[in-house]
Amino acid sequence: MLQGKTALVTGSTSGIGLGIAKALAKQGANIVLNGFGDSQGPQAEIAALGVQVAYHGADMSQASEIEAMMKFAADTFGRVDILVNNAGIQHVAKIEDFPVERWDAIIAINLTSAFHATRLALPAMKAANWGRIINVASVHGLVGSAEKSAYVAAKHGVVGLTKVTALENATTGVTCNAICPGWVLTPLVQKQVDAKAAAMGLSNEEAKKVLLQEKEPSMQFTTPEELGDLAVFFCSPTGNNVRGVAWNMDGGWAAQ
């Protein structure tokens, strides 16, 4: 379905980003990966799906590096047809104890990077009259949780940015939507499970149940594969008039 298209997925060397990149690759899209840590393994996984893959290690807190990444993608594949703004970090603390530098970093990587990548991707998408911008927000773009002020503020901002991007391009072939996952067992969430297990003297499995019981009625983690399939739907002809939505895949979290 996406043969000949190019998808750039930020924060895609693991977790949700890699899951979405693989789902798009299975539909024939060439992939530009971005992220920290091992890049060779994820590139091999994508290449094994029969598409072309490239990697750019842009620091998503730096506008100049995002500009370099977008230019690299265009130079390598022609243009970015599908932009998935997924890069994100987390820090947990009460507002009065929240380190200012951590607030700044979370806003920069979780929110501002999506603005920069979007503004740089839009001209070519509009010229082609086809494009898909998918912002990976969070259920925390819809509801709040204590001790996550920066993350919740950033993800609410991502949902707002999604709506404005969709409205500004409503009469074009460019759509913008947000995915709002609940708990997904990524390395980021596994750290929270480990911390809970240590603090409460629980096994890892028990800590997972406690985490799910607090928020997610289904008592199931959403998987990167499920989120990838939702991204594919947004890119499909059926998703052509799905515009500006914040689609939660959260096991009933926001329904409470």
Side-chain angles (χ1 to χ4, degrees):
M1 185 179 74
L2 299 176
Q3 202 80 37
K5 305 288 190 195
T6 297
L8 187 156
V9 187
T10 69
S12 52
T13 47
S14 68
I16 292 171
L18 182 55
I20 291 175
K22 287 164 77 171
L24 296 173
K26 286 175 183 174
Q27 295 296 324
N30 296 321
I31 303 294
V32 180
L33 296 172
N34 156 264
F36 296 123
D38 170 42
S39 65
Q40 296 300 317
Q43 285 184 79
E45 287 185 54
I46 298 294
L49 297 171
V51 298
Q52 296 182 65
V53 58
Y55 169 79
H56 194 284
D59 177 346
M60 298 305 291
S61 69
Q62 302 297 319
S64 61
E65 294 199 27
I66 296 169
E67 289 173 3
M69 177 184 68
M70 297 300 289
K71 184 178 185 305
F72 166 81
D75 289 347
T76 304
F77 292 118
R79 71 165 181 270
V80 173
D81 302 285
I82 301 160
L83 171 65
V84 182
N85 290 308
N86 170 72
I89 58 171
Q90 174 67 288
H91 185 79
V92 179
K94 290 187 181 297
I95 291 171
E96 63 269 30
D97 301 323
F98 214 97
V100 172
E101 66 277 7
R102 297 307 294 161
W103 171 278
D104 290 344
I106 288 169
I107 297 298
I109 291 173
N110 294 32
L111 174 58
T112 307
S113 73
F115 160 73
H116 286 306
T118 297
R119 71 177 175 83
L120 294 162
L122 275 171
M125 289 181 176
K126 291 168 82 168
N129 200 36
W130 196 94
R132 295 290 185 266
I133 299 171
I134 300 169
N135 294 324
V136 180
S138 166
V139 67
H140 282 117
L142 307 171
V143 299
S145 285
E147 300 190 1
K148 295 184 178 179
S149 56
Y151 190 82
V152 171
K155 293 302 188 179
H156 271 68
V158 168
V159 170
L161 177 64
T162 300
K163 292 175 180 179
V164 174
T165 306
L167 290 173
E168 289 184 1
N169 295 282
T171 59
T172 75
V174 180
T175 72
C176 182
N177 294 290
I179 297 175
C180 299
W183 290 124
V184 184
L185 200 57
T186 61
L188 200 69
V189 170
Q190 186 60 53
K191 284 182 185 175
Q192 294 182 58
V193 172
D194 294 343
K196 196 171 283 290
M200 300 177 72
L202 301 173
S203 72
N204 218 263
E205 286 307 308
E206 289 168 335
K208 286 176 187 174
K209 286 181 181 174
V210 170
L211 196 73
L212 289 166
Q213 277 170 347
E214 288 173 2
K215 303 281 187 180
E216 196 142 349
S218 68
M219 290 296 291
Q220 297 175 47
F221 287 100
T222 301
T223 69
E225 291 75 19
E226 289 165 346
L227 298 170
D229 286 345
L230 180 55
V232 168
F233 164 71
F234 286 149
C235 294
S236 72
T238 307
N240 183 59
N241 211 30
V242 180
R243 296 168 183 257
V245 304
W247 192 310
N248 43 314
M249 194 179 270
D250 61 2
W253 184 328
Q256 298 175 96

